[in-house]
Short mmCIF file of all heavy atoms in Angstrom, two decimals:
data_model
loop_
_atom_site.label_atom_id
_atom_site.label_comp_id
_atom_site.label_asym_id
_atom_site.label_seq_id
_atom_site.Cartn_x
_atom_site.Cartn_y
_atom_site.Cartn_z
N TRP A 14 112.00 113.88 83.42
CA TRP A 14 113.12 113.87 84.43
C TRP A 14 112.51 113.67 85.88
O TRP A 14 113.04 112.97 86.63
CB TRP A 14 113.83 115.26 84.38
CG TRP A 14 114.79 115.34 83.29
CD1 TRP A 14 114.57 115.96 82.00
CD2 TRP A 14 116.11 114.85 83.20
NE1 TRP A 14 115.63 115.77 81.26
CE2 TRP A 14 116.60 115.14 81.94
CE3 TRP A 14 116.91 114.16 84.13
CZ2 TRP A 14 117.90 114.80 81.54
CZ3 TRP A 14 118.16 113.80 83.68
CH2 TRP A 14 118.65 114.09 82.44
N THR A 15 111.40 114.33 86.18
CA THR A 15 110.77 114.21 87.42
C THR A 15 110.33 112.76 87.69
O THR A 15 110.62 112.26 88.78
CB THR A 15 109.53 115.16 87.55
OG1 THR A 15 110.00 116.42 87.29
CG2 THR A 15 108.86 115.08 88.87
N ALA A 16 109.75 112.13 86.69
CA ALA A 16 109.31 110.72 86.78
C ALA A 16 110.53 109.82 87.00
O ALA A 16 110.52 108.92 87.86
CB ALA A 16 108.54 110.30 85.58
N GLY A 17 111.56 110.11 86.26
CA GLY A 17 112.80 109.26 86.37
C GLY A 17 113.44 109.42 87.75
O GLY A 17 113.80 108.40 88.33
N LEU A 18 113.51 110.61 88.26
CA LEU A 18 114.12 110.85 89.58
C LEU A 18 113.24 110.22 90.63
O LEU A 18 113.77 109.57 91.59
CB LEU A 18 114.31 112.28 89.81
CG LEU A 18 115.38 112.99 89.01
CD1 LEU A 18 115.20 114.49 89.08
CD2 LEU A 18 116.76 112.59 89.61
N GLN A 19 111.93 110.27 90.51
CA GLN A 19 111.01 109.69 91.52
C GLN A 19 111.13 108.19 91.43
O GLN A 19 111.10 107.48 92.46
CB GLN A 19 109.59 110.15 91.30
CG GLN A 19 108.69 109.68 92.38
CD GLN A 19 108.96 110.37 93.69
OE1 GLN A 19 109.35 111.47 93.76
NE2 GLN A 19 108.96 109.59 94.80
N GLY A 20 111.25 107.62 90.21
CA GLY A 20 111.44 106.17 90.08
C GLY A 20 112.78 105.75 90.80
O GLY A 20 112.75 104.70 91.44
N LEU A 21 113.78 106.51 90.70
CA LEU A 21 115.03 106.25 91.40
C LEU A 21 114.88 106.18 92.85
O LEU A 21 115.38 105.36 93.55
CB LEU A 21 116.14 107.29 91.06
CG LEU A 21 117.45 107.10 91.66
CD1 LEU A 21 118.10 105.81 91.26
CD2 LEU A 21 118.42 108.28 91.15
N GLY A 22 114.01 107.17 93.38
CA GLY A 22 113.71 107.14 94.84
C GLY A 22 113.04 105.84 95.26
O GLY A 22 113.28 105.37 96.32
N VAL A 23 112.05 105.39 94.42
CA VAL A 23 111.38 104.12 94.75
C VAL A 23 112.44 102.94 94.73
O VAL A 23 112.39 102.09 95.60
CB VAL A 23 110.21 103.83 93.80
CG1 VAL A 23 109.64 102.52 93.91
CG2 VAL A 23 109.13 104.92 93.97
N VAL A 24 113.29 102.99 93.82
CA VAL A 24 114.26 101.91 93.72
C VAL A 24 115.19 101.93 94.91
O VAL A 24 115.60 100.89 95.49
CB VAL A 24 115.10 102.02 92.38
CG1 VAL A 24 116.36 101.13 92.42
CG2 VAL A 24 114.24 101.71 91.19
N ILE A 25 115.49 103.12 95.43
CA ILE A 25 116.34 103.20 96.60
C ILE A 25 115.59 102.55 97.85
O ILE A 25 116.18 101.83 98.64
CB ILE A 25 116.77 104.68 96.90
CG1 ILE A 25 117.79 105.07 95.85
CG2 ILE A 25 117.30 104.80 98.33
CD1 ILE A 25 118.11 106.58 95.93
N HIS A 26 114.32 102.85 97.94
CA HIS A 26 113.55 102.21 99.01
C HIS A 26 113.56 100.62 98.88
O HIS A 26 113.85 99.95 99.81
CB HIS A 26 112.02 102.55 98.94
CG HIS A 26 111.64 103.88 99.46
ND1 HIS A 26 111.80 104.24 100.72
CD2 HIS A 26 111.22 104.99 98.73
CE1 HIS A 26 111.44 105.51 100.88
NE2 HIS A 26 111.06 105.95 99.69
N LEU A 27 113.39 100.15 97.67
CA LEU A 27 113.41 98.72 97.44
C LEU A 27 114.77 98.10 97.66
O LEU A 27 114.92 97.04 98.26
CB LEU A 27 112.96 98.38 96.02
CG LEU A 27 111.44 98.86 95.71
CD1 LEU A 27 111.16 98.56 94.22
CD2 LEU A 27 110.53 98.04 96.60
N ALA A 28 115.84 98.84 97.29
CA ALA A 28 117.23 98.32 97.51
C ALA A 28 117.54 98.29 99.00
O ALA A 28 118.11 97.31 99.48
CB ALA A 28 118.18 99.27 96.85
N PHE A 29 117.04 99.30 99.77
CA PHE A 29 117.30 99.23 101.18
C PHE A 29 116.55 98.12 101.84
O PHE A 29 116.97 97.45 102.74
CB PHE A 29 116.94 100.63 101.84
CG PHE A 29 117.26 100.72 103.29
CD1 PHE A 29 118.58 100.87 103.66
CD2 PHE A 29 116.32 100.66 104.30
CE1 PHE A 29 118.96 100.90 105.01
CE2 PHE A 29 116.64 100.71 105.59
CZ PHE A 29 117.97 100.86 105.99
N TRP A 30 115.35 97.93 101.34
CA TRP A 30 114.45 96.77 101.87
C TRP A 30 115.16 95.40 101.60
O TRP A 30 115.16 94.55 102.44
CB TRP A 30 113.14 96.86 101.22
CG TRP A 30 112.07 95.98 101.82
CD1 TRP A 30 112.18 95.21 102.92
CD2 TRP A 30 110.74 95.76 101.26
NE1 TRP A 30 111.00 94.48 103.14
CE2 TRP A 30 110.15 94.82 102.11
CE3 TRP A 30 110.14 96.17 100.11
CZ2 TRP A 30 108.78 94.39 101.88
CZ3 TRP A 30 108.79 95.72 99.93
CH2 TRP A 30 108.16 94.89 100.78
N ALA A 31 115.78 95.28 100.43
CA ALA A 31 116.38 93.99 100.03
C ALA A 31 117.72 93.82 100.71
O ALA A 31 118.14 92.72 101.10
CB ALA A 31 116.73 94.03 98.51
N GLN A 32 118.50 94.89 101.06
CA GLN A 32 119.73 94.82 101.74
C GLN A 32 119.84 95.84 102.83
O GLN A 32 120.35 96.96 102.54
CB GLN A 32 120.90 94.98 100.72
CG GLN A 32 122.26 94.89 101.20
CD GLN A 32 122.55 93.58 101.93
OE1 GLN A 32 122.25 93.45 103.10
NE2 GLN A 32 123.24 92.69 101.31
N GLN A 33 119.43 95.52 103.97
CA GLN A 33 119.39 96.52 105.04
C GLN A 33 120.66 96.78 105.72
O GLN A 33 120.71 97.45 106.78
CB GLN A 33 118.28 96.12 106.09
CG GLN A 33 116.84 96.34 105.46
CD GLN A 33 115.80 96.17 106.45
OE1 GLN A 33 116.01 96.02 107.68
NE2 GLN A 33 114.57 96.12 106.05
N LYS A 34 121.77 96.30 105.13
CA LYS A 34 123.10 96.57 105.66
C LYS A 34 123.59 97.93 105.19
O LYS A 34 124.58 98.46 105.70
CB LYS A 34 124.12 95.55 105.26
CG LYS A 34 123.83 94.25 105.87
CD LYS A 34 124.88 93.20 105.57
CE LYS A 34 124.50 91.81 106.16
NZ LYS A 34 125.39 90.76 105.70
N VAL A 35 122.86 98.61 104.32
CA VAL A 35 123.17 99.89 103.88
C VAL A 35 123.00 100.87 105.06
O VAL A 35 122.04 100.73 105.88
CB VAL A 35 122.24 100.33 102.73
CG1 VAL A 35 122.47 101.87 102.36
CG2 VAL A 35 122.43 99.50 101.48
N ILE A 36 123.96 101.78 105.26
CA ILE A 36 123.95 102.69 106.32
C ILE A 36 122.59 103.59 106.21
O ILE A 36 122.36 104.18 105.11
CB ILE A 36 125.16 103.55 106.43
CG1 ILE A 36 126.38 102.65 106.60
CG2 ILE A 36 125.09 104.63 107.50
CD1 ILE A 36 127.65 103.41 106.31
N SER A 37 121.96 103.72 107.26
CA SER A 37 120.74 104.45 107.22
C SER A 37 120.78 105.95 106.87
O SER A 37 120.01 106.52 106.19
CB SER A 37 119.92 104.33 108.62
OG SER A 37 120.69 104.89 109.65
N LEU A 38 122.01 106.46 107.12
CA LEU A 38 122.29 107.89 106.78
C LEU A 38 122.33 108.02 105.25
O LEU A 38 121.89 108.93 104.66
CB LEU A 38 123.60 108.37 107.39
CG LEU A 38 124.02 109.87 107.05
CD1 LEU A 38 122.95 110.76 107.53
CD2 LEU A 38 125.32 110.10 107.63
N VAL A 39 122.89 107.00 104.58
CA VAL A 39 122.98 106.97 103.10
C VAL A 39 121.58 106.84 102.56
O VAL A 39 121.22 107.56 101.57
CB VAL A 39 123.84 105.76 102.63
CG1 VAL A 39 123.77 105.68 101.13
CG2 VAL A 39 125.29 105.86 103.11
N TYR A 40 120.75 106.02 103.15
CA TYR A 40 119.33 105.91 102.70
C TYR A 40 118.60 107.23 102.78
O TYR A 40 117.97 107.68 101.79
CB TYR A 40 118.71 104.82 103.63
CG TYR A 40 117.24 104.50 103.41
CD1 TYR A 40 116.70 104.36 102.11
CD2 TYR A 40 116.38 104.30 104.50
CE1 TYR A 40 115.34 104.01 101.95
CE2 TYR A 40 115.11 103.98 104.34
CZ TYR A 40 114.54 103.79 103.03
OH TYR A 40 113.23 103.45 102.92
N ALA A 41 118.63 107.81 103.90
CA ALA A 41 117.99 109.13 104.11
C ALA A 41 118.52 110.22 103.21
O ALA A 41 117.77 111.00 102.63
CB ALA A 41 118.09 109.57 105.61
N THR A 42 119.83 110.23 103.13
CA THR A 42 120.45 111.36 102.29
C THR A 42 120.13 111.21 100.80
O THR A 42 119.78 112.19 100.14
CB THR A 42 121.98 111.34 102.48
OG1 THR A 42 122.29 111.51 103.95
CG2 THR A 42 122.61 112.46 101.71
N ALA A 43 120.14 109.91 100.34
CA ALA A 43 119.89 109.69 98.89
C ALA A 43 118.42 110.12 98.59
O ALA A 43 118.16 110.80 97.58
CB ALA A 43 119.97 108.26 98.58
N LEU A 44 117.44 109.77 99.45
CA LEU A 44 116.05 110.18 99.19
C LEU A 44 115.92 111.72 99.23
O LEU A 44 115.19 112.29 98.47
CB LEU A 44 115.18 109.48 100.17
CG LEU A 44 115.01 107.98 100.02
CD1 LEU A 44 114.20 107.41 101.18
CD2 LEU A 44 114.40 107.64 98.70
N ASN A 45 116.57 112.31 100.18
CA ASN A 45 116.49 113.82 100.27
C ASN A 45 117.11 114.51 99.09
O ASN A 45 116.53 115.48 98.61
CB ASN A 45 117.07 114.29 101.61
CG ASN A 45 116.16 114.06 102.78
OD1 ASN A 45 115.00 114.36 102.77
ND2 ASN A 45 116.75 113.43 103.86
N LEU A 46 118.24 114.05 98.65
CA LEU A 46 118.89 114.65 97.42
C LEU A 46 118.00 114.52 96.22
O LEU A 46 117.94 115.39 95.37
CB LEU A 46 120.26 114.05 97.23
CG LEU A 46 121.35 114.40 98.25
CD1 LEU A 46 122.63 113.65 98.01
CD2 LEU A 46 121.56 115.99 98.28
N ILE A 47 117.42 113.34 96.08
CA ILE A 47 116.39 113.15 94.93
C ILE A 47 115.30 114.20 95.08
O ILE A 47 114.88 114.74 94.06
CB ILE A 47 115.98 111.69 94.82
CG1 ILE A 47 117.10 110.80 94.38
CG2 ILE A 47 114.71 111.57 93.95
CD1 ILE A 47 116.86 109.36 94.52
N GLY A 48 114.80 114.39 96.27
CA GLY A 48 113.77 115.38 96.48
C GLY A 48 114.15 116.81 95.94
O GLY A 48 113.41 117.47 95.30
N TYR A 49 115.38 117.19 96.27
CA TYR A 49 115.82 118.52 95.83
C TYR A 49 116.05 118.54 94.31
O TYR A 49 115.79 119.54 93.69
CB TYR A 49 117.14 118.89 96.57
CG TYR A 49 116.92 119.29 98.00
CD1 TYR A 49 117.44 118.50 99.04
CD2 TYR A 49 116.17 120.33 98.31
CE1 TYR A 49 117.21 118.83 100.34
CE2 TYR A 49 115.92 120.71 99.63
CZ TYR A 49 116.44 119.90 100.67
OH TYR A 49 116.23 120.23 101.97
#
């Protein structure tokens, strides 16, 4: 589960890099929620 969640965090970084029109608050919040 930990590896899967961390992989999701990496994918979120890559998705934001590919499409930077995503609101930065969504980017930050998603990464923080995955951390919790």
Side-chain angles (χ1 to χ4, degrees):
W14 285 95
T15 303
L18 289 164
Q19 188 64 40
L21 181 59
V23 171
V24 168
I25 289 171
H26 283 293
L27 296 174
F29 187 73
W30 190 9
Q32 179 58 278
Q33 291 189 6
K34 292 181 183 177
V35 175
I36 300 169
S37 58
L38 180 62
V39 173
Y40 178 44
T42 302
L44 291 176
N45 284 310
L46 289 175
I47 289 169
Y49 288 115

